[in-house]
Amino acid sequence: MITKKAEYAIIILAELASHSEDTVLTSREIAASRSIPVNLVIQLMPLLHEAGWTTGTRGPSGGIKLAVDPESITLRQVIEKVDGTIGITRCLFSSKPCGNKSHCSLRDIWLKAQKRMLSVLEDASIKDLAEALTGDR
């Protein structure tokens, strides 16, 4: 399951990408603009920075901005950075072997659905979402 934190991380990156590349935003500005609790913006910033997607400066004129082209960041990358491996069902990734694994009629369907879901998340970039946000303004 994709968590709310992963959704917020995607929204934060899209918000940053929807501004010119030299624009810096504070955590409070991002939170207010996208109705995200400011404490969650603050919690997610180290992860986004660690991934190399954002850069920030402290101080009165400080803030956060994107460090890379938003087209290079996929939704899959962001979700996996925040939540870990994305799985449509636990049985595909469970460390405990399933007794029905060899003859489960659902397994092939789950595998096919997993591949398609990951493909959609890989094809969608932060730039795509930023363009949609810019249209909302």
Side-chain angles (χ1 to χ4, degrees):
M1 179 165 74
I2 299 169
T3 66
K4 198 69 173 164
K5 270 189 169 180
E7 287 182 39
Y8 286 149
I10 290 166
I11 293 167
I12 291 166
L13 290 169
E15 177 64 19
L16 291 170
S18 71
H19 295 272
S20 66
E21 64 183 58
D22 58 337
T23 300
V24 293
L25 300 173
T26 66
S27 296
R28 289 193 189 287
E29 290 170 327
I30 295 167
S33 175
R34 294 292 149 199
S35 300
I36 302 171
V38 71
N39 64 325
L40 283 175
V41 175
I42 292 167
Q43 283 177 22
L44 289 166
M45 292 320 301
L47 277 176
L48 303 180
H49 179 74
E50 180 184 285
W53 299 324
T54 62
T55 186
T57 53
R58 295 181 184 265
S61 61
I64 305 152
K65 67 180 185 175
L66 278 185
V68 299
D69 181 349
E71 193 167 16
S72 70
I73 309 169
T74 68
L75 270 57
R76 179 181 180 176
Q77 290 172 312
V78 180
I79 294 165
E80 287 182 341
K81 181 66 180 172
V82 177
D83 290 344
T85 303
I86 304 167
I88 198 163
T89 180
R90 286 179 290 145
C91 81
L92 295 178
F93 303 100
S94 178
S95 59
K96 295 181 180 180
C98 174
N100 296 327
K101 195 174 189 174
S102 62
H103 58 277
C104 177
S105 58
L106 284 173
R107 186 163 176 76
D108 287 340
I109 293 169
W110 292 149
L111 285 169
K112 197 181 296 186
Q114 176 79 11
K115 280 184 178 180
R116 287 185 183 167
M117 177 185 64
L118 292 178
S119 176
V120 168
L121 294 173
E122 286 171 5
D123 289 344
S125 73
I126 293 299
K127 181 181 178 186
D128 299 330
L129 294 176
E131 288 172 351
L133 284 179
T134 305
D136 289 347
R137 289 191 181 144

